Amino acid sequence: MSTASVPTAGVPTPRANRRHPWTLQRRLVTGIAAVIAAVLAVSGILTIVTVEGSVTAVVDTQLTGSMEAFEHSVVKFHDQQAGAGAVVDPDATRGEPGYVKPFVDYVGHGPGTLIALVADGGVVDSARFTQSNATALDVRTKALIEEAVAADSSERQNIELGSLGGYRLDFLDHGDGETLVAGVSLATPRAAVQQEAIVIAILAVLALAVTIIGAIIVVRLGLRPLSRVAAAAEEVSTLQLERGDTGIDVRVDQADTDPRTEIGKVGEALNGLIDHVDRALAVRAATDKRMRRFVTDASHELRTPLAAIQGYAELTRQDSESLPPMTEHALARIESEATRMSSLVSELLLLARLDEGQDLHLDDVDLSDLVAAAVSDAAVSAPAHHWSVDVPERAIIVLGDRERLHQLVVNLLSNAAVHTPAGTSVVTRISAPKSPDEPQRASLTIADDGPGIDEAFLPELFDRFARADSSRSRAAGSTGLGLAIALSIAEGHEGSIEVASSSAGTTFTVTLPWSGPSEEHPAVRPAADATGTRPEAVTSTRG
């Protein structure tokens, strides 16, 4: 006997890798933070570009002054001392012909400034000034300057001079193939720009953090009315409207229904929807009440004439020897249909009373003994099936109406007998909580290995007059009220019924509030046939 699983057709299964949707608060905060971050980034870049431009202008001003001082010194100490067109003698001393003052002795240049004279593609003399002295450029730096001059660039440019770092150079054609080169170090301006960028970045991060925190607070405060509206809607969704609650007392607070605001429009619309549903429920409840009253009254009134018809038919058939065969057959059919109609009227009357919460006499009921008796009766009425029962060792006590609970079990067993072919095995089990941590509910399962129920018919299985003749083979007719009565009885006892069906069989599971195990161990009533002999097809187990 394999147990069928609950079908999940039609129920959407979320994908494991589906991303969680963003809340409105998260979207607003993220959007505000993204806009502010973009504004801060653009502002920071523009600020850095502006600072870099300002620093470059300062450097150019310093470079212009250095070039002017350098040109003046060259004219004064080079051209005048050596003479125009004179041959420069690097070994000459001061006062001798060909003597020229070296660049390291020039004045008027700030720390970090360098000067060089390039003639015929080579550096003739050079100097780099510091706070304390001036030194000639090294060979590597001279080579880089010569490459810059050879590039025939008349515009100022930034180049890297090896170990000296970045420099901004200016070039001046002095005539006779000579080029004056002046340069200002970019170390200090770059450090200033870098420091400014760090400060701007830190301020931007702090501003963004403050903006996010402020946005979260403002958005959370702004969405509080929406949260209250959602709470009201959620409270309405938890009402047991399908179990008889006919009024909805929940409403959105008046402060959250101002139509001049977006959230107020939502709150006002929700209140209007609740009012509409409340009125519809009231009308439907009144209609249902009138219908139940009509069914109750009609069923009650029909019982007397049906009993009279059945009685007169039985009385007339007592003189069957003097009746024609056709008349006797007609009377038999009248009696049979009157009996069937009386049963239908009784079931309708029972359903009407159960809907109104009547006809239940609550007491402690031994569910184990009740189930064993019902299975025993089913084994007698349907000997072609294989019946077995499995109940716990101790009696399972539930608070309920013994007669109605017995009818619930009988209806489920009869459903298995009628809608499954001969030879089907039907197993009835009872289970109770094994520890106080488990839900305190007793469970009754009736499982068969028949052909199963059509999946499309499962949603309406417990509806009144529901019939699916094509889904399971039937040996006898039914009114379609048996499972509806079983469900009403279970719900009247604050329980439930669930069904799981597949091609391997069908399982009905009934859950009822559990009063606890009995200290006594009453014997299970043995399943017996009409003569009092226990049939071999029934197995009764205390486990």
Side-chain angles (χ1 to χ4, degrees), residues 78-79 81-92 96-100 124 178:
H78 186 277
D79 295 345
Q81 291 182 10
V87 178
V88 178
D89 183 4
D91 297 328
E96 294 181 354
Y99 171 78
V100 177
V124 175
E178 296 180 345

Side-chain angles (χ1 to χ4, degrees), residues 295 299 306 337-351 465 478-481 485:
V295 172
S299 300
L306 285 174
E337 291 304 313
T339 302
R340 180 173 177 272
M341 194 169 182
S342 296
S343 175
L344 177 59
V345 168
S346 298
E347 291 179 347
L348 288 174
L349 182 60
L350 174 61
L351 278 173
F465 298 104
S478 66
T479 62
L481 294 176
I485 292 175

